[in-house]
């Protein structure tokens, strides 16, 4: 088994001979803020789902990360529409999905919400995509319900990474907010941040090259911050999902995410940004090596959300995996 310390020095390393797609991709439309969506009551938990048109024969289902939403997949889903139609879900408490009153926001509950939706729509097996927390959730689904999953693409999945670091915080004053005396002014300063300032903090945290982000994407992210301030469940969803993720990181066998990874057998592509501040790229090789049918792509000059920062590279690698899997060469 590969350990974190055995990973080659970055910024650029990926498994040799990784297949890629050399065909035409649709041009990216940065004027498109997001794909249209609606609340689906198909499963046990109503979910807001955005739909991306594409060939009806294959479906991709996309699961966002902690604090994210379905709009995190806007560009990648558009590029992949050459092969599949897309369903971009908002997890309960995020985006436009209002959580049930008794929802507990554990990774298990998030996974069951997605499983229930997949079972109800009957469009599987799907190509399953997950970023960050959504990657951990997608991995759980693939391990437990392989008949629902045709392939798996994990984009910087939130594997256990408990190292303390101020670099992992959007604003270092968050630490001060929990301390006596200095905590109150720190909390006031954080509360006074505008939606634009919060957006820029998030972008600097999640992207390696924030200056390259199209202004329309910045505006869309800012609009989401503004919208969430009007959702009474948003803060609770973020806080409790964070606790749920940390508990998953602390879980021991057989619930450990490392154990879950070893149970995944579908063709799996793991994509990581070399400059990921939130989940260390040093977890990448161990993750890919545990997956029974997994391979790894590490992208230089890319952060925690490669599907947003480097969508064309992720699309070509994913389509390459699918083509190879089609012919038994993955």
């Amino acid at each position: 088994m590969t350990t974190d310390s055995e990973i080659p020095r970055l910024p650029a390393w990926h498994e040799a001979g990784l297949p890629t797609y050399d065909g035409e991709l649709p041009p990216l439309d940065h004027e498109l803020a997001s794909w249209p969506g609606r609340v689906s009551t198909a499963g046990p938990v109503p979910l807001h789902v955005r739909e991306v048109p594409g060939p009806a024969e294959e479906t991709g289902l996309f699961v966002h990360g902690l604090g994210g939403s379905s709009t995190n997949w806007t560009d990648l889903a558009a590029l992949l529409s050459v092969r599949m139609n897309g369903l971009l879900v908002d997890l309960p408490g995020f985006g436009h999905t209002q959580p049930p009153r008794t929802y507990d926001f554990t990774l298990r509950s998030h996974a069951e919400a997605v499983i229930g939706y997949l079972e109800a729509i009957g469009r599987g097996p799907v190509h399953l995509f997950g970023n960050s927390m959504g990657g951990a959730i997608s991995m759980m689904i693939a391990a437990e319900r392989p008949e629902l999953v045709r392939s798996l693409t994990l984009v910087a999945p939130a594997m256990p990474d408990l190292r303390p670091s101020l670099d992992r915080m959007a604003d270092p004053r968050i630490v001060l907010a929990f301390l006596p005396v200095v905590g109150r002014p720190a909390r006031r300063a954080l509360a006074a941040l505008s939606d634009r300032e919060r957006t820029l903090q998030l972008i600097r945290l999640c992207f390696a090259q924030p200056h390259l982000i199209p202004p329309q994407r910045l505006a869309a992210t800012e609009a989401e911050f503004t919208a969430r301030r009007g959702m009474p469940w948003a803060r609770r969803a973020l806080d409790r999902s964070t606790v749920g993720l940390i508990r998953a990181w602390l879980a021991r066998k057989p619930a450990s995410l490392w154990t879950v990874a070893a149970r995944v057998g579908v063709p799996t592509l793991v994509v990581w940004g070399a400059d990921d501040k939130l989940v260390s790229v040093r977890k990448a090789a161990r993750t890919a090596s545990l997956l029974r049918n997994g391979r790894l792509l590490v992208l230089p000059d890319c952060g925690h959300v490669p599907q947003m920062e480097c969508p064309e590279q992720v699309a070509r690698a994913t389509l390459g995996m699918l083509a190879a899997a089609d012919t038994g060469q993955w």
Side-chain angles (χ1 to χ4, degrees), residues 7-72:
I7 299 172
R9 287 289 180 184
L10 300 171
W13 175 75
H14 65 80
E15 188 169 320
L18 194 69
T20 189
Y21 173 78
D22 296 323
E24 290 276 335
L25 292 176
L28 288 178
D29 179 9
H30 293 308
E31 296 297 327
L32 176 68
S34 61
W35 293 97
R38 61 181 179 83
V39 174
S40 171
T41 57
V45 178
L47 297 175
H48 181 266
V49 182
R50 301 183 188 277
E51 298 197 31
V52 183
E57 294 79 11
E58 298 181 43
T59 295
L61 187 129
F62 299 76
V63 187
H64 63 79
L66 183 67
S69 76
S70 55
T71 60
N72 295 163

Side-chain angles (χ1 to χ4, degrees), residues 235-253:
R235 184 76 251 175
R236 178 169 60 100
L238 180 61
D239 291 346
R240 294 185 64 181
S241 291
T242 301
V243 171
L245 179 61
I246 293 173
R247 285 178 175 168
W249 283 359
L250 295 171
R252 297 179 180 273
K253 294 181 179 180

Side-chain angles (χ1 to χ4, degrees), residues 42-245:
V45 178
L47 297 175
H48 181 266
V49 182
R50 301 183 188 277
E51 298 197 31
V52 183
E57 294 79 11
E58 298 181 43
T59 295
L61 187 129
F62 299 76
V63 187
H64 63 79
L66 183 67
S69 76
S70 55
T71 60
N72 295 163
W73 300 101
T74 299
D75 289 336
L76 181 63
L79 295 171
L80 294 175
S81 67
V82 296
R83 170 146 183 166
M84 66 189 75
N85 64 85
L87 299 173
L88 288 53
V89 302
D90 286 328
L91 292 170
F94 298 91
H96 292 283
T97 296
Q98 180 173 350
R101 185 175 58 83
T102 58
Y103 197 76
D104 65 7
F105 301 100
T106 60
L107 258 63
R108 165 65 47 205
S109 292
H110 286 320
E112 289 176 353
V114 176
I115 287 171
Y117 173 68
L118 281 174
E119 289 177 328
I121 63 173
R123 287 165 65 175
V126 300
H127 301 293
L128 187 57
F129 297 78
N131 172 228
S132 193
M133 181 182 76
I137 292 166
S138 297
M139 193 173 66
M140 292 169 64
I141 295 169
E144 296 172 16
R145 298 295 303 275
E147 76 279 7
L148 296 176
V149 181
R150 182 170 175 176
S151 73
L152 181 63
T153 301
L154 301 175
V155 184
M159 301 305 287
D161 185 2
L162 291 167
R163 62 198 163 84
S165 173
L166 291 178
D167 288 341
R168 303 177 78 181
M169 297 182 180
D171 192 319
R173 289 175 295 185
I174 293 173
V175 175
L176 298 177
F178 294 97
L179 299 177
V181 184
V182 298
R184 182 172 295 178
R187 289 192 295 272
R188 282 199 300 265
L190 290 169
L193 289 172
S194 69
D195 293 333
R196 182 68 173 182
E197 290 169 325
R198 294 176 191 274
T199 298
L200 293 175
Q201 285 184 339
L202 180 65
I203 295 299
R204 287 192 290 267
L205 179 66
C206 292
F207 288 71
Q209 302 185 80
H211 60 285
L212 298 180
I213 299 172
Q216 298 91 335
R217 291 288 173 262
L218 284 173
T221 304
E222 182 179 351
E224 287 202 1
F225 270 112
T226 302
R228 288 184 66 78
R229 280 198 288 107
M231 299 175 182
W233 60 81
R235 184 76 251 175
R236 178 169 60 100
L238 180 61
D239 291 346
R240 294 185 64 181
S241 291
T242 301
V243 171
L245 179 61

